[in-house]
Amino acid sequence: DHAVPVVSLQIHYQVGSKNELPGITGISHLFEHLMFRGTKELGPEEFARLLQSKGGEINAFTTKDHTSYFENLPAEHLELALRLEADRLLNLNLDEENFQTEREVVISERKLRSVDSPFGLVEEQLFATAYTQHPYTWPVIGWDQDLRRMTLADCLAYYRTYYHPGNTTIVIAGDVEPEAARDLVSKHFGHIASPGPPTFPKVVEPPQRGERRVVFKKVSQVEAFLAGFHVVGLDHPDIYPLTLLVVVLSGGKASRLYQEFIRPGRVADMEAYLAPPPWSSQDPDLFLFRTVAAPGADLARLETELWDSLERLQKEGVEEAELARAQKIVKAQTVQGLAKNFFRGLLAGLFQLKTGDARRINDILGFYDAVRREDLTRVAKAYLHEDNRTVVTLQPVSPEESQSLGALS
């Protein structure tokens, strides 16, 4: 797209928290931090400073399925970004000082995002209960004890195994000629040795055979519960009706949950959530509900009323106007995103990583258009039922009782 002289460069490594093992959970996210600690030629954070001085936007993120780095910058500096990315792939400065520094940063980040947040540990408990065999059972940030006992040797082994061209997808979107872009990638990455794509064992979570319930006691000003239902990943066609079902239930003030629970003041908050394409997980994910009770409300009764509401939806179906509204919202969000090189690149890159087919970016609007009312009813019945449900209830306790239960970590 030559409309504006800017480009988005994205380097996606096919390794996330699901590729970790007990004992080194959180290493993927920790390694994202280490990638900014400099190379043989560049000092810590100098990578970012160089590209920001050219007008670039620099960042990275780690998910359950991949670790991604990106630069959005003027097209004239694309080769500089490729050269720097290849340099830190090949010559990363992995020493004890950098490792210790970033490990402490991640431990503090875990405390902020999980331990000290209102529902962070509750959500971790939900996934740890819902998944009994699949590695989605642990959080992307990792377990505290694993972060503390991780070593530099663990990171060096991880680096050699996953950070090489054979495990990398590069996406370039914007003001660039395809052949010239390929030549630049070949120039800077083509000489880097690769052992080939790593072998990832396919782990399938067994079907859940009955509701699982957990009580989580924590100092809290509110009562709440989180619930999760096993659904599908990005490569399954049901991801599109499930995405639209989230909007029907929880998308704005016209949604069912807002009108039935939030507007009358019966709850402080209630939402449904499932990561939409292309953010959907590669393997089967959880369709989530979170309810925060209003002061004085009966949390158990609210839960029963939520399941009754879902049962009515399954029996009576969704109105045509509800489906049309959901389709308009999701398609509008998608089209707005497609105006940006960054989102175009993400769609292509993440579809390639998770499904092996980047060209699905061309069909995503059609996938939503093809959904019918009966599809929403079908997926609601297929996935949102009691035997497939895990519920974690947040039970407020006093600081003294919380302390007697042991330290949060």
Side-chain angles (χ1 to χ4, degrees):
D1 183 351
H2 302 294
V4 181
V6 294
V7 67
S8 180
L9 168 64
Q10 301 169 17
I11 315 289
H12 302 286
Y13 294 93
Q14 181 109 42
V15 60
S17 62
K18 79 171 183 183
N19 306 113
E20 299 164 355
L21 295 170
I24 57 167
T25 64
I27 195 172
S28 299
H29 175 248
L30 172 59
F31 209 85
E32 175 202 321
H33 284 245
L34 291 171
M35 284 287 279
F36 289 91
R37 292 298 297 177
T39 67
K40 296 176 182 177
E41 297 182 1
L42 298 178
E45 309 303 328
E46 194 172 348
F47 174 97
R49 285 196 295 270
L50 272 172
L51 291 170
Q52 287 168 346
S53 71
K54 304 298 184 182
E57 173 194 13
I58 317 299
N59 218 326
F61 57 94
T62 307
T63 76
K64 294 177 282 190
D65 304 305
H66 57 93
T67 308
S68 300
Y69 304 82
F70 65 87
E71 293 85 45
N72 302 322
L73 73 169
E76 63 184 296
H77 299 303
L78 172 62
E79 183 168 10
L80 172 63
L82 282 166
R83 178 172 66 80
L84 294 178
E85 285 285 9
D87 180 46
R88 68 173 173 176
L89 172 59
L90 189 60
N91 301 307
L92 190 64
N93 186 15
L94 279 178
D95 59 25
E96 192 66 32
E97 180 183 358
N98 285 336
F99 167 71
Q100 294 289 351
T101 297
E102 292 306 321
R103 182 173 66 168
E104 289 305 312
V105 170
V106 173
I107 289 172
S108 298
E109 184 181 348
R110 172 176 168 76
K111 188 173 187 300
L112 178 67
R113 285 169 47 180
S114 298
V115 180
D116 294 341
S117 70
F119 306 110
L121 291 177
V122 183
E123 184 170 325
E124 286 187 358
Q125 184 67 69
L126 176 66
F127 277 82
T129 306
Y131 289 96
T132 60
Q133 297 185 30
H134 194 282
Y136 284 175
T137 189
W138 54 73
V140 172
I141 194 75
W143 299 127
D144 179 78
Q145 60 183 324
D146 285 352
L147 293 171
R148 293 182 184 277
R149 67 188 172 199
M150 205 178 294
T151 66
L152 176 61
D154 293 325
C155 290
L156 288 168
Y158 179 93
Y159 181 44
R160 289 190 295 267
T161 302
Y162 298 114
Y163 273 68
H164 55 77
N167 197 42
T168 305
T169 297
I170 297 178
V171 183
I172 300 171
D175 184 20
V176 65
E177 294 295 340
E179 288 305 320
R182 292 189 181 97
D183 289 344
L184 287 175
V185 171
S186 179
K187 175 182 177 181
H188 293 286
F189 286 83
H191 66 285
I192 302 175
S194 170
T199 300
F200 297 120
K202 178 69 174 177
V203 181
V204 178
E205 178 68 20
Q208 190 164 323
R209 301 181 65 85
E211 185 186 57
R212 300 171 188 159
R213 301 189 71 88
V214 173
V215 173
F216 192 92
K217 294 183 177 182
K218 183 177 183 289
V219 176
S220 175
Q221 302 301 310
V222 297
E223 289 186 287
F225 72 84
L226 272 68
F229 298 80
H230 293 279
V231 285
V232 299
L234 180 60
D235 200 24
H236 196 289
D238 281 352
I239 195 67
Y240 299 98
L242 285 165
T243 298
L244 293 171
L245 182 59
V246 168
V247 180
V248 169
L249 290 170
S250 192
K253 294 184 177 181
S255 66
R256 290 194 173 206
L257 297 184
Y258 186 91
Q259 290 294 322
E260 189 172 347
F261 292 93
I262 300 176
R263 184 178 181 182
R266 299 165 64 193
V267 298
D269 189 34
M270 180 182 283
E271 65 173 343
Y273 179 76
L274 177 67
W279 303 104
S280 314
S281 295
Q282 184 172 24
D283 295 341
D285 203 353
L286 295 184
F287 192 112
L288 300 176
F289 289 89
R290 185 181 72 180
T291 296
V292 180
D298 185 332
L299 187 67
R301 181 178 177 181
L302 287 172
E303 184 187 341
T304 298
E305 290 173 346
L306 172 58
W307 307 146
D308 288 345
S309 179
L310 290 181
E311 188 175 347
R312 287 196 300 274
L313 183 149
Q314 294 168 8
K315 289 181 178 178
E316 300 170 7
V318 173
E319 295 180 6
E320 194 65 48
E322 290 180 292
L323 171 60
R325 173 181 171 274
Q327 288 171 319
K328 287 180 182 178
I329 289 174
V330 173
K331 289 171 61 181
Q333 292 171 342
T334 304
V335 171
Q336 288 168 3
L338 286 169
K340 301 176 182 177
N341 292 326
F342 174 63
F343 187 70
R344 294 175 189 171
L346 274 183
L347 271 176
L350 298 188
F351 270 124
Q352 178 67 29
L353 278 175
K354 298 176 187 180
T355 74
D357 184 6
R359 294 183 180 275
R360 291 193 193 183
I361 183 176
N362 298 319
D363 303 317
I364 188 167
L365 297 178
F367 291 149
Y368 289 121
D369 276 334
V371 175
R372 298 292 177 257
R373 292 168 53 199
E374 52 269 26
D375 292 319
L376 299 191
T377 306
R378 175 181 57 78
V379 296
K381 290 179 178 178
Y383 303 110
L384 306 186
H385 59 84
E386 182 179 356
D387 286 338
N388 192 36
R389 185 169 71 209
T390 301
V391 181
V392 179
T393 301
L394 171 59
Q395 182 176 321
V397 296
S398 67
E400 293 75 20
E401 183 177 353
S402 177
Q403 188 173 7
S404 72
L405 293 170
L408 294 171
S409 62

